[in-house]
Each structure stands twice: as C-alpha cells, then as structure tokens.
Amino acid sequence: MKLFNRIGIVGLGLIGGSVGIAIKQNGLAREVIGVSRKRPTLNKAIKIKAIDKGFLGLEALSGCELIILCTPVKAIIKLFSSIRPYLCNGSIVTDVGSTKFEIVNAAKRILPKKTDFIGGHPLAGSEKRGIDNAAKNLFKNSLCLLTPIRENKRGNLKKIKLFWQMLGAKVKVLKPAKHDEIVSLTSHLPHLIAFSLMEALPSDYLSYGSSGLKDTTRIASSDPLLWAEIFLTNRKAVLKSVSQFQEQLAQFTELIKRRDEKQLFAKIKKAKLKRDKLP
C-alpha cells in the first residue's frame, strides 16, 4: 500500500536506515531518497535497500511528500531552516527525536505554513548506531509516540499514524510537554543512571562485572553526543526525574542504615511487582 510517492530521509544511521528498509519492505512509497553527509553511508544504504537514491545535498528533498528527519535533536532543529527552501505545498515533515517540546516549538517558528510538521518518537533502537546496524524489523511491536499540535491537518495525522503502524509500531498520541515528562522517567533517567553507575565503577573492577552489571549498564554504551543533547534539550523534565530518583534512593539508603529488613523487603517487593508489569 503506497502512502506516498516520494519520501526523503535525512540521516541514515540506525533509525533512518531502519525506517528506509521498512518503508521499502512494506511498499509505502514509489521512491525513497536519502540525504547524508557521507557518500559511503549513502552507498551502504542503497546496497541494503534502505533507499533508492542517495544525495549529499538537501536540495534533493524537492518534491518529497514526506520528509523524515533522523538526526540528533539539535541537528533536527537546525535542519528546519536548511530544508525550508525545498518544501512543497502540502508536504509533511516529521522526525524521530527523543525530546519533543523544543523541536515542535522550533518547527512552528521556522517551517512555512504550507507544510505540516508532526513530531514523532519511535521507542525502538539500541545502544548501537550507524547504517550497519539498520534492521527491517526494528519497529515491529514497538511503540511510536506522536506529538501533534492543534494546527496539524487531521488527514495528515491520520496518515502518519498509519505510516508507523504499517512499519509495525503501535502508536500513541501525546502533547509535546507530556511526552518529555514521561520519557524523562522511562528513558532519559535510566540512561543517566547507567552513565553514572559506570562513572562510579573503578576501571580495575570491570573484569569482575557480572551479567547483572552488563544488563543494568547496557545503555551506557549509547552515543555520547546524542545523549548529551537529549539531557540538555529536556533539561527541566530530566532534573525533576533525577530529584524523584534521589528521593527513592535516599529512602533505600535510610532503611539500610537502620537495618530495617522488614521495610527494605517491602520496598524491594513493591519495586519488583511494578517491574513485572512492564509489557
């Protein structure tokens, strides 16, 4: 089912490459073009059938009905001004950024009214990066969060919902600020904790690491630049989440200090039962 004639993907890393593969596998467009700063990345994307054609310049986006920005958050915001000259009437622009409030506000301010920006955030991926790790089933049974605004055309929102559903994702709609509040706890805080735990761990203890340490800190192998930008563009919500975590950590600390085994057991059990409810 072809939803679009021409789709442009800017940024061909893990997410952008996987989006392209899934689009082509599901026949959602007549043509998929990719834009990257590196020719080898474009060549690889063509080889794995993530795109039909690759370009180094944004002018290639002319005529695209859907443009998907698959770069780090700050780069997405900078791209709005750069892609503006190449947007056509009625085109839809979306993204895969991990924070939404700043991105959506920038889109409203910079993009022309002839286009419709609908913020997106697929909750899929891994600590790995790059086109070499792109996969056709990355979004299967995942969750994609959309953050539309009042100005969005209802038909376009319906189309973007269907687009992600056909890539295999379940779709939920949130306001941009609510999105940032939720993911600050469910995604950003866990990454910050993983980074902090690795910083606290002496290097000469690494050889003693168990599977528990590896499981807990897997996401600490994530892209440093990407996550520095995420923390700073969602600063307010992240700091609030850190405070909530510190409060819980302080409670655990106090129970250990008091040797209160009964309350410590109850608190651990409560956390376990909540963890067991994760889908």
Side-chain angles (χ1 to χ4, degrees), residues 160-175:
I160 291 298
K161 278 185 181 178
L162 181 59
F163 170 80
W164 282 107
Q165 287 168 347
M166 293 186 72
L167 295 191
K170 299 171 185 177
V171 176
K172 287 190 177 182
V173 174
L174 296 168
K175 292 182 178 180

Side-chain angles (χ1 to χ4, degrees), residues 69 74-85 87 93 102-115 117:
L69 305 179
K74 286 188 178 179
I76 289 171
I77 293 172
K78 289 180 181 178
L79 277 167
F80 290 146
S81 296
S82 301
I83 67 173
R84 184 184 170 102
L87 300 175
V93 180
E102 284 196 21
I103 288 176
V104 170
N105 281 350
K108 285 174 65 177
R109 188 175 68 251
I110 299 169
L111 294 180
K113 297 190 184 301
K114 66 181 180 180
T115 63
F117 178 81

